[in-house]
Amino acid sequence: MLQQQFGALLVALREKSPLVHNITNEVVTNFTANGLLAIGASPVMAYAPEEVADMAKIAGVLVLNMGTLTKETVESMLIAGKSANEHGVPVVFDPVGAGATPFRTEMARRIVEEINIAIIRGNAAEIANVMGEAWEIKGVDAGQAGGNVEALARKAAKELNTVVAITGKVDVVAGLNELYTVHNGDEMLTRITGTGCLLTSIIGAFTTVEKDYALAAAAGLAVYGAAAEMARQTVSAPGSYQVALLDMLYSIDEEQVASMARVERK
């Protein structure tokens, strides 16, 4: 069963303690690093163009996140991404806020054009705007515009030639020939800055122990979502929830994942 596979992948991740190279949102660097440490990975945050190629080639995965975007950041992302591609290191991309401004959209499209992406993870608006389709967005958050998210994910996977993970009330993961829906998570995640950024990095960590990247993405979503549900059982406000989420990422085990993961393969 998928649930047992997800639990086994969590065990494998902790045994491997993979190096996760993040070029990520500066607002949430500390939270992302702590979340990766909690689940069992080894984070590194390296941004300087002089070193990113060397760091990317020794990492288990490279995670690129456009949260705080500058021309210099994009330069580092492209250097690191091309090095990762050259050395067989998977690249996971989070096009934060694609569609919010022309610059942000242009840079997201440039990254997917110039780098071989293993998984792109975003909300529906971000993924649609990377593809050049109109979808409401406000700031760096998705609007509530309607649309068939499963169809969008399948189309994006085909057009971008990558695994696409679209997160929302129900998370959708599409590869070229498969689709998963993941029904884990909690509304409180939307009350804390950086929970999506951390999720992308955790999905990245799972690619180091599972080369079926659609399965890896679904596992990351389910484990993270289950930990989020466990955290909500202990607290009821955002400040304490952030700490509880880190605690649950640390303590969640194989059996809890197997019993709590709610996923469908279509």
Side-chain angles (χ1 to χ4, degrees):
M1 292 177 64
L2 285 172
Q3 290 83 350
Q4 280 73 28
Q5 282 184 275
F6 293 168
L9 288 174
L10 175 62
V11 172
L13 188 160
R14 287 172 170 162
E15 290 176 348
K16 186 171 186 177
S17 187
L19 181 65
V20 180
H21 178 191
N22 302 269
I23 302 178
T24 190
N25 186 344
E26 294 178 7
V27 174
V28 297
T29 301
N30 179 260
F31 181 59
T32 299
N34 283 335
L36 285 168
L37 283 170
I39 204 168
S42 298
V44 61
M45 277 61 181
Y47 300 78
E50 295 84 359
E51 73 165 345
V52 290
D54 292 326
M55 189 65 74
K57 73 181 182 182
I58 63 171
V61 61
L62 171 67
V63 178
L64 306 177
N65 178 303
M66 297 199 326
T68 46
L69 191 64
T70 66
K71 289 183 179 179
E72 293 75 19
T73 303
V74 173
E75 178 189 357
S76 291
M77 288 182 177
L78 293 172
I79 293 170
K82 291 172 183 178
S83 176
N85 287 169
E86 182 180 349
H87 293 92
V89 175
V91 180
V92 177
F93 179 43
D94 191 335
V96 178
T101 66
F103 174 67
R104 197 168 280 272
T105 306
E106 179 186 351
M107 292 303 101
R109 292 175 185 170
R110 184 180 175 191
I111 288 167
V112 299
E113 287 171 2
E114 296 190 26
I115 299 172
N116 181 17
I117 304 295
I119 301 170
I120 182 170
R121 198 294 303 176
N123 57 45
E126 290 161 345
I127 299 301
N129 278 280
V130 170
M131 296 168 61
E133 297 191 3
W135 199 295
E136 181 185 353
I137 192 162
K138 180 177 69 175
V140 295
D141 295 318
Q144 299 302 313
N148 186 321
V149 176
E150 291 185 14
L152 174 64
R154 288 186 186 276
K155 182 177 181 181
K158 183 177 180 180
E159 290 192 10
L160 301 175
N161 193 32
T162 188
V163 169
V164 175
I166 299 179
T167 47
K169 289 185 178 180
V170 175
D171 303 324
V172 178
V173 178
L176 294 179
N177 300 303
E178 62 279 311
L179 187 136
Y180 299 90
T181 56
V182 181
H183 301 258
N184 291 100
D186 190 89
E187 187 272 340
M188 189 65 78
L189 290 170
T190 66
R191 302 294 181 182
I192 300 170
T193 299
T195 54
C197 300
L198 172 56
L199 170 59
T200 300
S201 291
I202 285 178
I203 287 173
F206 275 90
T207 68
T208 69
V209 292
E210 176 53 66
K211 296 309 178 185
D212 177 340
Y213 294 139
L215 181 63
L221 287 162
V223 171
Y224 189 79
E229 293 169 14
M230 292 166 60
R232 187 59 184 271
Q233 293 172 7
T234 65
V235 297
S236 59
S240 51
Y241 183 79
Q242 184 179 46
V243 176
L245 179 61
L246 294 176
D247 290 345
M248 295 308 169
L249 288 170
Y250 176 80
S251 65
I252 191 169
D253 59 29
E254 184 177 11
E255 290 74 22
Q256 288 168 321
V257 171
S259 65
M260 295 181 67
R262 299 189 302 280
V263 59
E264 298 177 63
R265 179 162 48 195
K266 299 186 177 182

